[in-house]
Amino acid sequence: MTNTPRGSVTLVGAGPGDAGLLTIRGLRALEAADVIVADRLGARGVLDGLAAEGVELRAEVVDVGKLPGHHAVPQDAINELLVALARDGKKVVRLKGGDPFIFGRGGEEVAFCRDHGVDVEVVPGITSAISVPAIAGIPLTHRGLATTFTVVTGHDQIQSLGGGRDHTVVLLMGIGTLANSAITLARGERGGGCPVAIIEDGYGPRQRVTVGTLDTIALQAARRGIRSPAVVVVGDVVTLSPYAPEALEPHRKATNR
């Protein structure tokens, strides 16, 4: 009787979708994999980018991400698939957009694998919360403008977020609830004049930046037909972007005149 080789699972953060932002450790895991279980956002872009650069991966690719008109594979089914493949002796890479532990349900997948006796490790990735604002020239912290930032999803309860325009807020998956989020954040210390930027399809073919304020951004988004995926940044750091109009000044400049 031949023993089945021991399989394993490696969660790899694909970053925002640019193959150049994949870590070397992540690339080595992909090269050694028998099966790659991939998300659509971020992960597919990296696989396509690697192929375009002549990197040949021997692994079978299983797509579990959401496609237009189709539902994503349920999380429970993904968990079961990872364990089943590892038990078959496969080296499995779970390729996830961004970082596995930033709104990626990576912690659930790690726990499920460990609970079922499967070896699992995590290779961090570059989260879109930081990398996508960067391509629009927006640092999330900046001396004199912002000393802290918070990352939330558009589905979270954001009314409890305190702070003013010096507290940067990054909204992921927030386009569908943008109008409500803008109204909620404007009610606080930030006010309706707080700068806002939306970066669509960061590192993708539809990359586009829209800059406004909490009072104007929902209407701008509707007029421009802004679609997901997109990252929304709220705070005075938006004024550092070359896409920001000159009239959009940081609050500290306006009050120091």
Side-chain angles (χ1 to χ4, degrees), residues 127 129-130 139-141 146-151 166-170:
T127 172
I130 296 172
L140 300 188
T141 62
T147 58
T148 188
F149 67 91
T150 299
V151 181
D166 60 345
H167 178 174
T168 307
V169 176
V170 181

Side-chain angles (χ1 to χ4, degrees), residues 3-89:
N3 291 328
T4 302
R6 187 177 181 89
S8 63
V9 173
T10 303
L11 273 65
V12 175
D18 185 330
L21 295 178
L22 180 71
T23 65
I24 293 176
R25 186 170 176 180
L27 175 60
R28 297 292 177 259
L30 290 172
E31 291 173 331
D34 298 310
V35 182
I36 298 170
V37 179
D39 284 343
R40 183 175 69 90
L41 294 179
R44 284 302 331 182
V46 164
L47 292 177
D48 292 343
L50 290 175
E53 293 178 11
V55 178
E56 296 184 6
L57 302 177
R58 64 181 179 87
E60 173 191 359
V61 178
V62 178
D63 195 332
V64 295
K66 185 177 182 180
L67 297 172
H70 297 80
H71 292 292
V73 177
Q75 186 62 50
D76 290 346
I78 294 174
N79 295 345
E80 295 283 358
L81 176 63
L82 297 177
V83 168
L85 289 170
R87 285 178 171 172
D88 282 343

Side-chain angles (χ1 to χ4, degrees), residues 150-207:
T150 299
V151 181
V152 296
T153 73
H155 309 294
D156 288 335
Q157 299 296 315
I158 62 171
Q159 58 263 37
S160 60
L161 280 177
R165 291 164 57 161
D166 60 345
H167 178 174
T168 307
V169 176
V170 181
L171 288 171
L172 304 180
M173 299 172 279
I175 297 305
T177 56
L178 179 62
N180 179 68
S181 296
I183 291 170
T184 302
L185 290 172
R187 287 183 185 139
E189 186 182 338
R190 293 175 179 85
C194 181
V196 182
I198 303 175
I199 307 98
E200 290 175 86
D201 196 29
Y203 297 94
R206 296 189 300 106
Q207 181 176 304

Side-chain angles (χ1 to χ4, degrees), residues 192-228:
C194 181
V196 182
I198 303 175
I199 307 98
E200 290 175 86
D201 196 29
Y203 297 94
R206 296 189 300 106
Q207 181 176 304
R208 184 171 60 160
V209 180
T210 302
V211 177
T213 67
L214 286 174
D215 280 343
T216 67
I217 198 64
L219 181 58
Q220 289 175 268
R223 286 177 172 172
R224 301 198 77 188
I226 289 176
R227 295 182 293 157
S228 296

